[in-house]
Amino acid sequence: MDMALKRNPSSASLVDPRLEAVLLRHEIETFNVRYANALDEQRLADWTEMFTDDATYVILSRENHDRNMPVGLIYCEGKGMIRDRAFALSETAMFAPRYLRHIIGNLDLLGDERDGTIKARANYVVLQVLFDRPDATLHQIGVYYDAFRRENGVLKLADRRCVYDNLLVPNALCLPV
Amino acid sequence: MAWTRAASLNEVPEGKALGIEVDGIHIALYNLDGKIYATHGICTHALALLAEGWIEDGKVECPLHQGQFDIRTGKALCAPVTEDLRTYAVRVEGDDILIDPEQPAAETVFGSRPAAAAPAKDASRVVIVGAGQAAAAAIRAMRTAGFNGSIDLVGTEPHLPYERPPLSKEFLLGTAEFSSSVRLSETDAVQLGVRLHLGVAATAIDAAQRQITLANSEVLAYDALLLATGGTPRRLGIPGADLPGVHYLRTIEDAAAIGATLDRAHHVAVIGGGFIGLELASTAISRGVAVTLLEREREIMARIMPAAVGRAFRIMAERHGVDIRRDARVIEITRRGARLGVVTGEDTIEVDAVLVGIGMQPTFDLALQAGCTTTPAGIEVDAQGRTSVPGIWAAGDCALYHEPVAGRRLSLQSWQNAEEQGAAAGRSIAGHNTAVAQKHPWFWTDQFGRNVQMLGIVSAEDHVALAAADEAGPGAIYRMFDKATGRLAGVVAFSNPQAIRAARAELDSATPFDPDIHGAIISSKGQDGADAMEASVMNANPGLSLTKRYIWPADGLTRIPDWVYTDQAIYEREVEKIFHGRTWNYVALEAEVPNSGDFIRSNVGPTPVVVSRAEDGSIHVFENRCAHRAAEFCRELSGNAKEFVCPYHQWSYDLKGNLAGVPFRRGVGGKGGMPADFRNADHGLRRLKVTTHRGVVFASYCDDMEPLADYFTPEIMREFEATFDGRKLKVLGYYRHSLPGNWKLYHENLKDPYHATLLHTFLVTFGLLVAGNKSLMLADPSGRHGVMASAKSDGKAVSSDAKKEMRAYKEGMTLAEPRFMDFVDEFDSPWSVTMATIWPNLIVQREMNTLGVRQIVPTGPHEFIMKWTMFGFEGDTEEMTRHRLRQGNLMGPAGFLGLEDNEAIKFVQDGMQRVPNGEHLVKLDPAVEAGTADNLISEAAIRAMYKHWRAEMGL
């Protein structure tokens, strides 16, 4: 993208919708990388800050999603609940130590809403390593259905619905996806 | 006069007998020294043809039980026969034998009666306590010996003295009436001058004053007392030994109860492989009732005879279809719906009734009161029946044999012994103390169409010689030898009365054992072929290795061995005995299949099933396995269908699981296709029993499963109906997860209130649950179901003591959105949180307002799958639904509590797999051995569950 900027230094070219799209894609991809890093490094407070105050965050199975059933593994209405989830996981939850890798790809921008909300979807893979086995396991595979909004110019998630394909959760989902 | 030609003279050779029928009457003709006699052809004791008997010295000996009759007079000469034989007048004309069935022989005694006893002239008074066979024998002997004092006969049973051998045989088969077993009829009692005191017990004795007190306060003075009190059946000392349907046999009433049971039963268990047990087994088999016989020892009959002979009895029984389990521990008898479960060391045998024959306990309280010398086996007597106390005699089952046998004082408890001891005592009481030649102890048993007799006294340690073509076939003779002297101790013969006759002489002979005559020795204790053979048979029995391997810790319920959770064989047995056994398994909610044609996949244990609603609205559950080639044909999680079609060969099934269509069933062009007798009706899907309650669907592999209400018990039903309160359910979604632990650990986790505040620090940290909260850990009476319940209290109200007690309680830690923990009180229940564990695969979660059913689907000992179906109710507001969803953050595989439970259970399974042969400790709350606990610091409900589990598994 930097190279593209160099090739098109004029300000007029900045309103080129194709360039806007590239920049937005870059911005969201960067957001997703930071999101993944926050979770992989288990910085849950940082993760919390990536949501708007009125955000919803839900992880639900493909089975429920396809049947319009609302039950989620994690079901948060508002940043308060997202914060509570992060706080409780770091302060009280008991689970075996583990390493996680969130890999996010196939970002697809689905267009802007009139209120400035940006719809997007991306595939995600969560790999998990427990300390007693050599192999990483595919812990979850799914799709993010997202709505982004800017708060004070900063991109945040107003809605993230993580829809996972592997109906059977391997034992427990200890950290968000 | 109706002289009828009966036979030709040459048909009845000298010294022989011939059986014929004249006018429908069985008649035996005999030739004694050239003269022909005729008697009734059937023994007066049991159904045996006398023409097949043994003739000697003018007597015929019944082939069955060795009763003897005088051929000329018909007189009954010895035990067991007491009734004389009818005789008939005989005339010989040329070569023809003529008889007159209406006219007795000139010499007959039949129909004559002993003269009525003269009124008691001397003042001598005899009291007999116990109105059984020994008493009857004593009375006859006394009168025959000339005693003419008074006789008072006292009996607890309301009946005239009767013999007991038919109780386990003819009486149950309906081939004999009670009247034929009576040994002293009303008429006999009058003629023999006996005052009867029947249906009344003798309660006390004063040996110094020589008087007896009866239960009706009557006092009887005696000069001579005969104790013939018999005994009572030994009872099982295990839980459930007195449940209805568990029968013991001693009296005519016991036999009637067993007879009524056999009318209805399909399968009974017989406990005890002795004479009574085998006779009951034989009777049941011949009445078409399946029998499983459980013997504690390594071989049946092992405590009374050598294993090689016991083995012959066993083979005979097994050939007739008796399922004999040896080395069988019976641990408990449990109710299984309308049936009974016999819990053994190996499994639980489900039967309609249990017949117990494990021996007899002699009754001798009066003898003890009187100061007679006794041993635990009975009252000591001499050859005349005298006890150690002057004026007191004893006879029959309550008395010991008069001399030690192989160094031991024992009670013979046989028909013959009652007869002979009774008679000996009677003669002695009448003043005749001259010794009568002792007969060898003799037993008989009729079973599986064979008459087996034993003469002499044998012990398990004897050598055994076998002379037979078939070790358990007719004619087989087993001779037992004393190892030290080489002398014959006893003979057992299978349907071979001649061998028993001959054995009398053999037993009297001093000639030591001769293998040329008696056959090779096949068994002596410890080192014999039979033993080696047994060993290989038993090693081939997988049940035995199971018993040997899976030993429950001696501590009982407070320890659970790891193999309960880790062993493949145990797991497979759980599928068979529990999930596919007598249980109601949750399969679905009716709300998931609301319309005709709706279906959903489910499981019963690991087995995939389909739950479907048919056109008529009924719900059906059948295996998801094509009847043709086993394909799991239904692949969608749920849906709507008109029929089910297996994709492999297009076999189709209707919504009830019936086979509807088979492509090319009649072949093509007249070739191929199914056999002509193929019927669709025989090849439907395997269908399960179904029941529903308040919108919840259960299925069972058990065809005669009890109603759900009985299965639940009222306590569990109350809680179930508090959650399923009649409102229509609305499914909100599913969680599914695998869990790398044994499925029972999930039940245990919810029967373990101890962990709630210790593992789930979330609850305590935010002041939501402390150990002081009102709570209950309920277990149903069977132990399999449970409800963990608590009532929410305000966090602010938590006392400082309670806070201290809970290590994780942290002041100042608060939630940003605590409303998700609000409780909307919508249930008629004192509890805000309940977790009902409904055996074997259902958990009903009512965690305040987040509601769900959790279905356990085991996949092996180390893993199960959990399917959670979360629901609310039709008519919930949008906000109420969202409240349920928000509160759902507590549960499921990512729930604040749920993820911790799953992790903890995995840790437990990990811990077991890496340390072999360990045990779990479940000792909390010793005040409750197993069952309901009123506090959180208890494992009593886990213990209750394992009590049940062990019974089901037979471990």
Side-chain angles (χ1 to χ4, degrees):
Chain A
M1 195 193 76
D2 286 348
M3 284 174 67
L5 284 173
K6 279 172 193 165
R7 278 201 307 272
N8 302 286
S10 76
S11 63
S13 66
L14 283 175
V15 295
D16 181 336
R18 290 173 303 170
L19 190 55
E20 290 268 357
V22 169
L23 286 173
L24 182 62
R25 167 174 291 277
H26 174 75
E27 195 176 8
I28 292 177
E29 280 178 341
T30 306
F31 178 96
N32 279 341
V33 167
R34 288 182 183 150
Y35 179 99
N37 289 347
L39 291 178
D40 291 349
E41 291 161 20
Q42 297 182 27
R43 290 182 280 107
L44 297 185
D46 292 350
W47 169 75
T48 303
E49 289 310 313
M50 301 182 85
F51 292 89
T52 63
D53 288 344
D54 62 348
T56 54
Y57 173 72
V58 179
I59 307 175
L60 77 171
S61 65
R62 179 79 175 266
E63 175 182 25
N64 290 350
H65 180 259
D66 288 353
R67 286 169 174 72
N68 288 317
M69 289 181 171
V71 160
L73 287 181
I74 294 179
Y75 180 95
C76 296
E77 290 178 357
K79 195 170 177 176
M81 285 188 76
I82 296 171
R83 191 206 74 100
D84 287 346
R85 171 63 71 163
F87 182 61
L89 287 179
S90 44
E91 294 297 323
T92 72
M94 188 291 295
F95 52 89
R98 62 199 62 211
Y99 299 139
L100 296 166
R101 291 288 156 213
H102 292 69
I103 314 288
I104 304 169
N106 291 20
L107 173 66
D108 194 4
L109 299 181
L110 303 175
D112 297 1
E113 305 277 316
R114 261 165 286 153
D115 64 355
T117 303
I118 303 147
K119 297 272 187 175
R121 55 165 284 168
N123 291 351
Y124 70 89
V125 169
V126 182
L127 296 163
Q128 175 172 284
V129 176
L130 295 177
F131 296 176
D132 48 2
R133 297 290 308 158
D135 45 317
T137 55
L138 267 178
H139 195 66
Q140 197 167 94
I141 302 167
V143 185
Y144 291 134
Y145 292 99
D146 295 331
F148 290 93
R149 220 169 52 217
R150 291 184 196 282
E151 267 185 2
N152 302 322
V154 180
L155 199 64
K156 293 204 170 178
L157 274 168
D159 183 26
R160 172 157 274 185
R161 295 170 68 77
C162 320
V163 178
Y164 60 94
D165 295 337
N166 48 327
L167 297 187
L168 279 177
V169 174
N171 196 30
L173 182 84
C174 302
L175 290 157
V177 295
Chain B
M1 290 284 230
W3 290 100
T4 308
R5 186 183 177 281
S8 303
L9 202 51
N10 60 16
E11 287 177 272
V12 193
E14 176 90 34
K16 299 285 182 199
L18 173 71
I20 55 163
E21 253 184 70
V22 174
D23 295 346
I25 304 169
H26 280 278
I27 287 174
L29 299 174
Y30 312 85
N31 184 335
L32 297 180
D33 304 326
K35 190 163 183 213
I36 303 297
Y37 296 88
T39 69
H40 196 276
I42 296 172
C43 177
T44 59
H45 169 244
L47 186 68
L49 294 175
L50 292 173
E52 294 170 3
W54 184 265
I55 297 161
E56 195 174 56
D57 297 339
K59 295 177 284 189
V60 59
E61 182 180 288
C62 172
L64 211 48
H65 304 127
Q66 261 103 83
Q68 293 182 350
F69 299 95
D70 184 305
I71 290 169
R72 297 178 178 89
T73 65
K75 188 171 174 51
L77 296 173
C78 71
V81 296
T82 52
E83 191 184 323
D84 300 331
L85 194 62
R86 194 177 283 272
T87 62
Y88 304 99
V90 177
R91 218 168 69 196
V92 177
E93 287 183 2
D95 196 34
D96 291 338
I97 301 171
L98 302 167
I99 71 156
D100 181 355
E102 289 164 15
Q103 189 187 172
E107 303 93 332
T108 192
V109 294
F110 184 84
S112 71
R113 285 278 170 188
K121 283 182 210 136
D122 58 17
S124 202
R125 297 155 301 178
V126 171
V127 172
I128 303 176
V129 179
Q133 191 196 330
I139 290 165
R140 285 183 203 285
M142 266 183 256
R143 291 305 187 203
T144 305
F147 173 76
N148 58 8
S150 68
I151 301 177
D152 283 273
L153 177 62
V154 180
T156 336
E157 289 186 67
H159 306 292
L160 291 159
Y162 62 93
E163 58 180 352
R164 301 184 195 275
L167 296 184
S168 54
K169 303 182 278 276
E170 296 89 341
F171 187 79
L172 292 180
L173 289 169
T175 58
E177 296 286 316
F178 174 62
S179 58
S180 66
S181 300
V182 170
R183 303 293 294 178
L184 188 82
S185 68
E186 203 113 26
T187 321
D188 293 340
V190 172
Q191 287 184 343
L192 297 171
V194 180
R195 273 203 301 270
L196 299 172
H197 308 262
L198 298 177
V200 55
T203 51
I205 184 169
D206 183 337
Q209 296 297 317
R210 296 207 176 190
Q211 58 188 35
I212 284 275
T213 307
L214 307 188
N216 61 11
S217 304
E218 196 175 341
V219 175
L220 300 175
Y222 65 81
D223 299 297
L225 171 69
L226 172 61
L227 296 174
T229 41
T232 54
R234 183 171 290 130
R235 323 247 342 154
L236 291 167
I238 56 169
D242 293 313
L243 282 175
V246 180
H247 294 276
Y248 299 84
L249 177 60
R250 178 70 185 176
T251 65
I252 186 78
E253 286 80 12
D254 296 338
I258 292 173
T261 295
L262 292 178
D263 285 341
R264 297 185 303 267
H266 300 289
H267 183 188
V268 298
V270 171
I271 299 179
F275 286 117
I276 295 289
L278 285 168
E279 288 178 357
L280 287 173
S282 167
T283 301
I285 288 282
S286 60
R287 290 186 52 168
V289 179
V291 178
T292 300
L293 186 146
L294 298 139
E295 166 59 46
R296 193 175 65 175
E297 303 292 326
R298 232 181 109 186
E299 185 55 88
I300 62 170
M301 302 285 207
R303 271 169 292 174
I304 47 179
M305 53 180 67
V309 189
R311 181 167 182 274
F313 277 96
R314 174 167 54 80
I315 288 168
M316 182 168 69
E318 285 173 343
R319 283 178 186 168
H320 284 81
V322 180
D323 169 23
I324 296 186
R325 316 262 181 104
R326 293 168 289 156
D327 275 326
R329 288 180 299 146
V330 179
I331 297 161
E332 187 178 1
I333 299 172
T334 56
R335 282 181 200 273
R336 312 265 305 170
R339 309 185 82 196
L340 293 173
V342 180
V343 183
T344 73
E346 296 181 13
D347 61 1
T348 298
I349 304 158
E350 197 172 293
V351 293
D352 299 302
V354 178
L355 314 181
V356 184
I358 53 168
M360 195 206 73
Q361 214 107 44
T363 301
F364 51 78
D365 325 7
L366 290 176
L368 287 174
Q369 270 188 42
C372 302
T373 306
T374 63
T375 77
I379 307 166
E380 284 194 5
V381 293
D382 65 12
Q384 279 73 44
R386 288 176 290 211
T387 70
S388 61
V389 175
I392 302 181
W393 283 256
D397 290 350
C398 67
L400 297 170
Y401 191 56
H402 66 272
E403 60 187 13
V405 177
R408 285 180 303 152
R409 294 303 301 262
L410 48 84
S411 154
L412 296 183
Q413 299 176 6
S414 70
W415 188 99
Q416 182 223 26
N417 182 63
E419 200 69 24
E420 300 212 336
Q421 277 191 326
R427 283 190 300 272
S428 174
I429 290 169
H432 294 249
N433 279 317
T434 48
V436 172
Q438 286 297 322
K439 292 185 181 168
H440 294 287
W442 168 73
F443 299 82
W444 87 84
T445 173
D446 296 316
Q447 46 181 287
F448 306 105
R450 299 252 185 287
N451 167 256
V452 185
Q453 301 187 27
M454 180 166 93
L455 194 71
I457 295 183
V458 303
S459 76
E461 288 76 27
D462 290 332
H463 283 267
V464 180
L466 168 64
D470 175 349
E471 59 196 332
I477 307 168
Y478 289 84
R479 289 183 176 83
M480 270 59 72
F481 292 89
D482 182 283
K483 197 176 173 185
T485 63
R487 283 191 59 169
L488 190 65
V491 175
V492 172
F494 284 65
S495 294
N496 190 346
Q498 286 76 15
I500 293 296
R501 156 188 321 291
R504 288 182 196 140
E506 289 177 29
L507 283 166
D508 293 334
S509 154
T511 317
F513 173 72
D514 179 353
D516 292 341
I517 300 169
H518 299 308
I521 285 185
I522 58 161
S523 157
S524 63
K525 203 185 178 192
Q527 33 92 33
D528 55 88
D531 255 19
M533 193 156 37
E534 291 311 313
S536 65
V537 168
M538 289 164 77
N539 286 336
N541 174 4
L544 184 75
S545 59
L546 195 66
T547 317
K548 290 257 155 84
R549 211 170 133 201
Y550 303 108
I551 307 291
W552 200 273
D555 265 20
L557 292 172
T558 60
R559 286 180 189 269
I560 305 167
D562 285 358
W563 49 255
V564 164
Y565 307 97
T566 58
D567 189 275
Q568 181 68 23
I570 292 288
Y571 166 72
E572 285 166 11
R573 182 170 284 238
E574 287 176 332
V575 173
E576 178 198 339
K577 300 282 179 187
I578 296 173
F579 294 104
H580 286 199
R582 183 173 283 280
T583 51
W584 280 118
N585 291 260
Y586 166 84
V587 286
L589 299 176
E590 283 201 65
E592 294 175 297
V593 286
N595 303 312
S596 154
D598 285 350
F599 69 87
I600 186 164
R601 287 181 57 166
S602 186
N603 296 79
V604 171
T607 308
V609 298
V610 176
V611 181
S612 132
R613 193 183 285 273
E615 293 85 347
D616 61 3
S618 57
I619 293 179
H620 300 268
V621 178
F622 37 81
E623 285 184 354
N624 189 357
R625 174 196 157 106
C626 181
H628 176 219
R629 293 300 306 278
E632 200 174 302
F633 56 89
C634 179
R635 309 302 298 190
E636 296 296 320
L637 293 171
S638 62
N640 186 280
K642 289 194 164 49
E643 60 175 356
F644 296 97
V645 179
C646 176
Y648 195 2
H649 302 97
Q650 302 289 313
W651 283 37
S652 63
Y653 301 92
D654 68 17
L655 296 172
K656 296 181 175 180
N658 300 306
L659 179 59
V662 174
F664 303 113
R665 186 181 145 188
R666 299 185 201 288
V668 174
K671 292 189 174 176
M674 280 292 176
D677 62 356
F678 182 90
R679 292 177 62 245
N680 283 7
D682 299 335
H683 298 277
L685 300 169
R686 173 77 189 267
R687 299 173 54 176
L688 279 69
K689 292 277 275 193
V690 178
T691 194
T692 64
H693 188 62
R694 298 269 172 103
V696 186
V697 186
F698 295 86
S700 179
Y701 273 92
C702 179
D703 288 331
D704 62 339
M705 193 58 201
E706 59 263 33
L708 192 72
D710 294 353
Y711 181 69
F712 273 12
T713 72
E715 302 90 310
I716 301 299
M717 186 56 96
R718 199 173 307 124
E719 176 44 40
F720 184 87
E721 291 183 344
T723 303
F724 298 99
D725 58 9
R727 286 182 282 173
K728 241 184 140 190
L729 306 185
K730 182 174 186 207
V731 176
L732 300 178
Y734 300 97
Y735 304 128
R736 297 174 193 258
H737 61 87
S738 62
L739 211 166
N742 186 272
W743 66 275
K744 296 185 293 301
L745 292 171
Y746 210 91
H747 280 272
E748 289 173 48
N749 187 55
L750 293 173
K751 292 175 188 291
D752 162 21
Y754 180 48
H755 88 280
T757 58
L758 299 170
L759 173 64
H760 302 311
T761 49
F762 176 88
L763 292 174
V764 187
T765 302
F766 300 107
L768 303 167
L769 177 71
V770 294
N773 276 11
K774 189 174 164 237
S775 60
L776 178 73
M777 184 61 243
L778 177 90
D780 85 310
S782 78
R784 59 190 158 184
H785 312 305
V787 178
M788 183 155 71
S790 63
K792 194 187 180 194
S793 63
D794 189 342
K796 294 183 191 107
V798 175
S799 74
S800 55
D801 277 358
K803 283 176 190 170
K804 254 184 259 162
E805 179 190 340
M806 311 279 52
R807 62 177 174 84
Y809 189 90
K810 293 173 190 166
E811 298 276 357
M813 283 187 77
T814 51
L815 294 168
E817 291 279 1
R819 65 177 173 146
F820 95 104
M821 291 296 289
D822 288 351
F823 174 46
V824 179
D825 190 356
E826 57 179 326
F827 302 102
D828 179 18
S829 166
W831 310 110
S832 53
V833 175
T834 61
M835 294 287 163
T837 37
I838 295 176
W839 191 255
N841 76 334
L842 174 64
I843 286 96
V844 179
Q845 165 197 321
R846 180 159 71 80
E847 175 79 32
M848 296 185 286
N849 303 109
T850 179
L851 311 175
V853 285
R854 307 180 195 168
Q855 180 183 7
I856 295 173
V857 179
T859 59
H862 299 294
E863 188 195 62
F864 61 97
I865 287 167
M866 187 69 100
K867 177 186 176 187
W868 307 48
T869 306
M870 308 306 292
F871 61 87
F873 298 105
E874 298 282 355
D876 281 351
T877 61
E878 162 82 18
E879 176 49 30
M880 187 63 182
T881 300
R882 285 167 63 160
H883 173 58
R884 295 192 200 285
L885 295 169
R886 287 193 297 267
Q887 206 160 64
N889 280 298
L890 289 172
M891 291 298 171
F896 293 126
L897 313 185
L899 80 87
E900 294 177 324
D901 288 327
N902 291 11
E903 282 289 282
I905 288 170
K906 177 182 190 292
F907 293 178
V908 171
Q909 198 75 16
D910 286 349
M912 289 189 288
Q913 289 184 66
R914 290 158 200 182
V915 182
N917 304 322
E919 291 175 358
H920 294 233
L921 186 67
V922 285
K923 268 193 159 150
L924 288 174
D925 196 12
V928 181
E929 188 213 17
T932 297
D934 61 359
N935 72 93
L936 292 172
I937 316 302
S938 177
E939 285 160 339
I942 296 178
R943 293 193 288 272
M945 181 181 111
Y946 276 101
K947 216 170 160 181
H948 176 75
W949 183 86
R950 288 174 65 185
E952 294 300 288
M953 295 286 287
L955 287 161

